[in-house]
Amino acid sequence: MEILPYSREVYYYETDRMDIVHHSNYIRWLEEARIHLLGQLGISFPEIEKRGLLIPVLSAECQYKFPLRYGDRFEIHCRIESFNGCRFSLSYRIYNKSAEKLSGIGNSSHCFTDVNLKPVRIKKDYPDVFEAFEKASESGQD
Amino acid sequence: MEILPYSREVYYYETDRMDIVHHSNYIRWLEEARIHLLGQLGISFPEIEKRGLLIPVLSAECQYKFPLRYGDRFEIHCRIESFNGCRFSLSYRIYNKSAEKLSGIGNSSHCFTDVNLKPVRIKKDYPDVFEAFEKASESGQD
Amino acid sequence: MEILPYSREVYYYETDRMDIVHHSNYIRWLEEARIHLLGQLGISFPEIEKRGLLIPVLSAECQYKFPLRYGDRFEIHCRIESFNGCRFSLSYRIYNKSAEKLSGIGNSSHCFTDVNLKPVRIKKDYPDVFEAFEKASESGQD
Amino acid sequence: MEILPYSREVYYYETDRMDIVHHSNYIRWLEEARIHLLGQLGISFPEIEKRGLLIPVLSAECQYKFPLRYGDRFEIHCRIESFNGCRFSLSYRIYNKSAEKLSGIGNSSHCFTDVNLKPVRIKKDYPDVFEAFEKASESGQD
């Protein structure tokens, strides 16, 4: 199965007075790319949240390599690095497509909870989500 | 009763590549100033939401008169313009304290709902909130 | 010439604890839609800014009619309402495509300046931009 | 010299539909706390940027330990971990003051550049800034 990278142009309001994208937006883009990836793997965020499953962020980080400016298009390649039924982690490579440069490298880790942020055993309660993650983390996507 | 204006400095991430505060942040500042005002009037937003009363935004607008830049301090003078038990509106004057200029003029209107966004008659269900608004809208604060 | 509306899905980080899109994001979406419209009219924001022409916001407003939630797709129909060589205004209709409802109605007004925010006579200095606006404001687009 | 932690309340628009602060805002708060710390050390961000010195972010990360909700106050303890004349790094501890819990742990690293993002030797060009960083990184503040 081919996984498509996530891509869009920088929004004006994402820039700061340094004339580059403010670094905090990369963290938001990781979320956009993550949800785009999971959607392609058959895991619809809006749908699983309707079913009462939340996926909070345990950690997020980004290294900034080359700036993105207004008018630039970015592309994010995202992959699941680990999954153990309780937690999973992803890695991200953010490219400046206009400059054809690597703009940033990101990582995030997550767990599964109910709406009260109490941990959930998805193998038992959401077997379809468990299987999708299993399959995704086996097959090196991207 | 003396009402204190809302004031703080511009955050770096609130600027854009034009080297001024991005206009969308003024709309967020109106919310900061509104909650600050209501708090002084004895209406604690966190508390009334815990009690199941939401105050969604029906409209928001801002005219931009003079830019705010990084390092500037702004001050917002906010007052309740109308209240009829179901809806209320506020007006805002945003000052650039560093340049001693009027930076913007804003307005917002709001209603009262339950957590499902269904309208609520606060006179009956939240008499203390009703009275606080009554008192606030009579006495021209600010 | 057919003008395409601007459309995308709501991002997770655009929601608030009311479980709807925070109203301030609509003001950012107006900017996304505005730049998308001007692009279709042959006015590339990134390009004209490279040429030293800025288009600051003089006013922005939105009426909120029906909420947008996470997982919803919105579509914005945007048109130039007026243009006099110095200023222009736009109107926006934001639709919740998932609920097939009108979600909001917006307006914004703008002027033309140099990088120091000093007014610019685009007819003289940017005749191509002037003509594009002339043409766009004559032909009722949208 | 006593360094005061950075503290404020959560803004409504910083929450998301999970009813907690969206994780990306912590990255913005690190910037607020960083600038607050440097200000206390005699390094005024607005002033050094006026002098042409920029301090871009090389990396930023946060581990999320305990949520912050609307109505909560946070407090950030920030310290310079390293400084070598070209780069520096900071560590952050974000506390939920309302719950009296550690909410997050952050790190960021930075370099010094001119307005074109070209590296700058601050020892030569900004000796006062160099000395302030020297002094701050020696004396374990916080």
Side-chain angles (χ1 to χ4, degrees):
Chain A
M1 171 194 185
E2 194 206 7
I3 297 293
L4 300 174
Y6 179 74
S7 183
R8 69 166 171 86
E9 287 184 359
V10 168
Y11 299 137
Y12 199 95
Y13 59 77
E14 294 178 319
T15 61
D16 67 19
R17 72 187 302 273
M18 240 187 262
D19 192 16
I20 61 179
V21 169
H22 190 272
H23 64 282
S24 62
N25 293 305
Y26 284 60
I27 300 296
R28 298 185 165 192
W29 296 350
L30 301 189
E31 181 177 82
E32 294 176 39
R34 180 165 64 244
I35 289 170
H36 179 257
L37 169 66
L38 295 182
Q40 293 180 80
L41 300 173
I43 304 162
S44 161
F45 239 66
E47 196 190 285
I48 63 175
E49 289 210 339
K50 279 204 189 70
R51 291 166 58 191
L53 181 63
L54 300 185
I55 303 184
V57 177
L58 295 174
S59 69
E61 65 179 289
C62 191
Q63 299 168 52
Y64 304 92
K65 302 292 190 183
F66 186 85
L68 275 152
R69 297 182 186 273
Y70 180 59
D72 290 342
R73 168 169 287 276
F74 65 82
E75 185 173 278
I76 302 181
H77 295 249
C78 171
R79 54 179 291 130
I80 297 174
E81 289 297 329
S82 68
F83 169 73
N84 66 6
C86 300
R87 299 183 170 200
F88 66 100
S89 65
L90 300 113
S91 66
Y92 311 80
R93 294 178 74 79
I94 303 130
Y95 294 94
N96 180 327
K97 292 299 283 180
S98 309
E100 288 301 343
K101 295 233 187 193
L102 179 65
S103 181
I105 297 175
N107 283 89
S108 67
S109 61
H110 308 266
C111 62
F112 303 97
T113 75
D114 64 18
V115 293
N116 301 316
L117 301 182
K118 299 271 166 291
V120 166
R121 293 182 49 228
I122 64 167
K123 187 169 189 175
K124 180 170 160 299
D125 302 340
Y126 301 88
D128 57 321
V129 178
F130 180 84
E131 275 167 42
F133 268 99
E134 278 274 282
K135 202 148 134 284
S137 46
E138 284 156 10
S139 69
Q141 7 75 305
D142 180 15
Chain B
M1 172 194 185
E2 195 207 5
I3 298 292
L4 301 173
Y6 179 73
S7 183
R8 69 165 172 87
E9 286 184 0
V10 168
Y11 299 137
Y12 198 96
Y13 58 76
E14 293 178 319
T15 61
D16 67 19
R17 73 188 301 274
M18 239 186 260
D19 192 15
I20 60 179
V21 169
H22 190 272
H23 64 282
S24 62
N25 292 305
Y26 284 60
I27 301 297
R28 298 186 164 189
W29 296 350
L30 300 189
E31 181 177 82
E32 293 177 40
R34 180 165 62 243
I35 289 169
H36 178 258
L37 169 66
L38 295 182
Q40 292 180 81
L41 300 174
I43 304 162
S44 161
F45 239 67
E47 196 190 286
I48 64 175
E49 289 210 338
K50 279 202 189 73
R51 291 165 59 190
L53 181 63
L54 300 184
I55 303 184
V57 177
L58 296 174
S59 70
E61 66 178 289
C62 191
Q63 300 168 51
Y64 303 92
K65 302 291 190 183
F66 187 84
L68 274 151
R69 298 182 185 273
Y70 179 59
D72 289 343
R73 169 170 287 276
F74 66 81
E75 185 173 279
I76 302 182
H77 295 249
C78 171
R79 54 180 294 131
I80 297 175
E81 289 297 329
S82 67
F83 169 72
N84 68 4
C86 300
R87 299 183 170 201
F88 65 100
S89 66
L90 300 114
S91 66
Y92 311 79
R93 294 177 74 79
I94 303 129
Y95 294 93
N96 180 327
K97 292 298 285 180
S98 308
E100 287 302 340
K101 294 232 188 194
L102 178 65
S103 181
I105 298 174
N107 283 89
S108 67
S109 61
H110 308 266
C111 63
F112 303 96
T113 75
D114 63 19
V115 292
N116 301 317
L117 300 182
K118 298 271 166 293
V120 166
R121 293 183 49 230
I122 63 167
K123 187 168 188 173
K124 181 170 159 300
D125 302 339
Y126 300 88
D128 55 321
V129 179
F130 180 84
E131 273 166 44
F133 268 100
E134 278 275 281
K135 205 149 133 282
S137 46
E138 282 157 12
S139 69
Q141 6 76 306
D142 181 12
Chain C
M1 171 193 186
E2 194 207 7
I3 298 293
L4 300 174
Y6 179 73
S7 184
R8 70 164 170 87
E9 286 184 359
V10 168
Y11 299 137
Y12 198 95
Y13 58 76
E14 293 178 318
T15 62
D16 67 19
R17 71 187 301 273
M18 239 186 264
D19 193 15
I20 60 179
V21 169
H22 190 272
H23 65 282
S24 62
N25 292 305
Y26 284 60
I27 300 296
R28 298 186 164 191
W29 295 351
L30 300 188
E31 182 177 81
E32 294 177 40
R34 180 165 64 244
I35 288 171
H36 179 257
L37 169 66
L38 295 182
Q40 292 180 80
L41 300 172
I43 304 162
S44 162
F45 238 67
E47 196 190 284
I48 64 176
E49 289 210 339
K50 279 203 188 71
R51 292 165 60 191
L53 181 62
L54 300 184
I55 304 185
V57 177
L58 296 174
S59 69
E61 65 177 289
C62 191
Q63 300 167 51
Y64 303 91
K65 302 292 191 183
F66 187 84
L68 274 152
R69 297 182 186 273
Y70 179 59
D72 289 342
R73 169 169 287 275
F74 65 81
E75 184 174 278
I76 302 181
H77 295 250
C78 169
R79 54 180 292 129
I80 297 175
E81 289 297 328
S82 68
F83 169 72
N84 67 5
C86 300
R87 300 183 170 200
F88 66 100
S89 65
L90 300 113
S91 66
Y92 311 79
R93 295 178 73 79
I94 303 130
Y95 293 94
N96 180 326
K97 292 299 284 180
S98 308
E100 287 302 342
K101 295 233 187 192
L102 178 65
S103 181
I105 297 174
N107 283 88
S108 68
S109 60
H110 308 266
C111 62
F112 303 97
T113 75
D114 63 18
V115 293
N116 302 316
L117 301 182
K118 298 269 166 293
V120 167
R121 292 183 49 229
I122 64 167
K123 186 169 189 174
K124 181 170 159 300
D125 303 339
Y126 301 89
D128 55 322
V129 178
F130 180 85
E131 274 166 41
F133 269 100
E134 277 274 281
K135 204 149 135 282
S137 45
E138 282 157 9
S139 68
Q141 8 75 306
D142 180 22
Chain D
M1 172 195 186
E2 194 208 7
I3 298 293
L4 300 174
Y6 180 73
S7 183
R8 70 164 170 86
E9 287 185 359
V10 168
Y11 299 137
Y12 199 96
Y13 58 76
E14 294 178 318
T15 62
D16 66 19
R17 73 187 300 275
M18 238 186 263
D19 192 14
I20 60 178
V21 169
H22 190 271
H23 64 282
S24 62
N25 292 306
Y26 285 59
I27 300 297
R28 298 186 164 191
W29 296 350
L30 300 189
E31 182 177 81
E32 294 176 39
R34 181 165 64 242
I35 289 170
H36 179 257
L37 169 66
L38 295 182
Q40 292 181 80
L41 300 173
I43 304 162
S44 160
F45 239 68
E47 196 191 284
I48 64 176
E49 289 210 339
K50 280 203 188 72
R51 291 165 59 191
L53 181 63
L54 299 185
I55 303 185
V57 177
L58 296 174
S59 69
E61 66 178 287
C62 192
Q63 299 168 50
Y64 303 91
K65 302 292 190 183
F66 187 84
L68 274 152
R69 298 182 185 272
Y70 178 58
D72 289 342
R73 168 170 287 276
F74 65 82
E75 185 173 277
I76 302 181
H77 295 249
C78 170
R79 54 179 293 131
I80 297 175
E81 289 296 329
S82 67
F83 169 72
N84 67 5
C86 300
R87 299 184 170 200
F88 66 99
S89 65
L90 300 114
S91 66
Y92 311 79
R93 295 178 72 78
I94 304 129
Y95 294 94
N96 179 328
K97 292 299 284 181
S98 308
E100 287 302 342
K101 295 232 187 193
L102 179 65
S103 182
I105 297 174
N107 282 90
S108 68
S109 61
H110 308 266
C111 62
F112 303 96
T113 75
D114 64 17
V115 293
N116 302 315
L117 301 182
K118 298 271 167 289
V120 167
R121 292 183 49 230
I122 64 167
K123 186 169 189 175
K124 181 169 159 300
D125 303 339
Y126 301 88
D128 55 321
V129 178
F130 179 85
E131 274 166 44
F133 268 100
E134 278 275 280
K135 206 151 132 280
S137 45
E138 283 157 10
S139 68
Q141 7 75 305
D142 182 14

